[in-house]
Amino acid sequence: MFSLFWLLIVFLGYGYTHKPFLPEELIAGLLGIWRTLTAVMILSLAGGIGMSTGLRQQNFPPLIQAVLAGALGLGIVSIFMLIIAATIGINFILWIILIAAIILFRKGILLWWNSFQELKNFWQETSKTGRIAMLLILTILACQYLEALAPPLQFDALTYHLSIPKAYLQAGHLTYLENNIFWGMPQLVEMLYTLAMY
């Protein structure tokens, strides 16, 4: 008990003698959490849609099934988003459709998340070299996650990956962007970014 009390005193003393977090830093941290939850929600919906397509009947191992279901679901979500943005537009009806989709595919979403329980068995059955490879992959993913939370400063993001979705959101629908030479490229990822930004 004394050690916890001492730790609290040290933290309070440090906070008193050093510059505290600025409101901008707190907002940036909360924004990062919100963006992460948004991405997890979109991935969960995509995984649930993918699990509901009959992919489960192919008898793939659970982890392969989860990855394939997520990829298939992301493709379906992006095409559906493209159709919605081109017809009814990007407005509050999109929220209704999104909530209805989550309710409709809730069983598939739970199945998708349950597929990842196989990671525990996979870890135990993997050799030492395989575990090292998995840890290196997780390190790369963690670094990519931190890079994704950073402000977009690279050419791709500023030219089309984020600028095209931003233009769609400003217009409220899918529109031709005559001064962006990348507009005609396949827009599956851009539609997912549009949904996430919305």
Side-chain angles (χ1 to χ4, degrees), residues 30-179:
L30 293 174
L31 188 59
I33 293 170
W34 172 251
R35 289 175 176 163
T36 302
L37 291 175
T38 301
V40 168
M41 184 201 61
I42 292 172
L43 282 172
S44 298
L45 176 61
I49 291 171
M51 291 297 264
S52 303
T53 59
L55 189 63
R56 286 181 296 151
Q57 298 160 356
Q58 302 299 319
N59 295 322
F60 290 116
L63 292 176
I64 293 174
Q65 188 176 20
V67 170
L68 290 174
L72 179 62
L74 285 172
I76 292 170
V77 168
S78 60
I79 291 171
F80 185 73
M81 183 65 191
L82 181 72
I83 294 168
I84 292 293
T87 55
I88 63 173
I90 305 166
N91 51 46
F92 73 95
I93 296 174
L94 185 59
W95 278 105
I96 297 169
I97 293 170
L98 192 60
I99 292 168
I102 290 171
I103 293 169
L104 180 66
F105 293 105
R106 68 187 180 280
K107 290 182 182 176
I109 292 170
L110 290 175
L111 282 171
W112 186 71
W113 276 105
N114 288 336
S115 297
F116 290 103
Q117 291 179 353
E118 186 64 24
L119 278 172
K120 182 180 177 184
N121 295 334
F122 185 72
W123 175 263
Q124 292 171 348
E125 295 169 2
T126 303
S127 67
K128 186 179 270 189
T129 306
R131 290 181 183 182
I132 291 171
M134 287 173 63
L135 290 174
L136 290 173
I137 290 169
L138 286 174
T139 303
I140 292 169
L141 289 175
C143 291
Q144 289 296 311
Y145 171 73
L146 293 175
E147 185 180 342
L149 290 178
L153 300 174
Q154 294 184 352
F155 175 80
D156 291 355
L158 295 174
T159 321
Y160 52 94
H161 282 316
L162 297 179
S163 63
I164 289 176
K166 183 178 179 183
Y168 292 160
L169 290 173
Q170 289 173 341
H173 57 86
L174 186 75
T175 184
Y176 173 61
L177 304 174
E178 60 186 25
N179 48 354

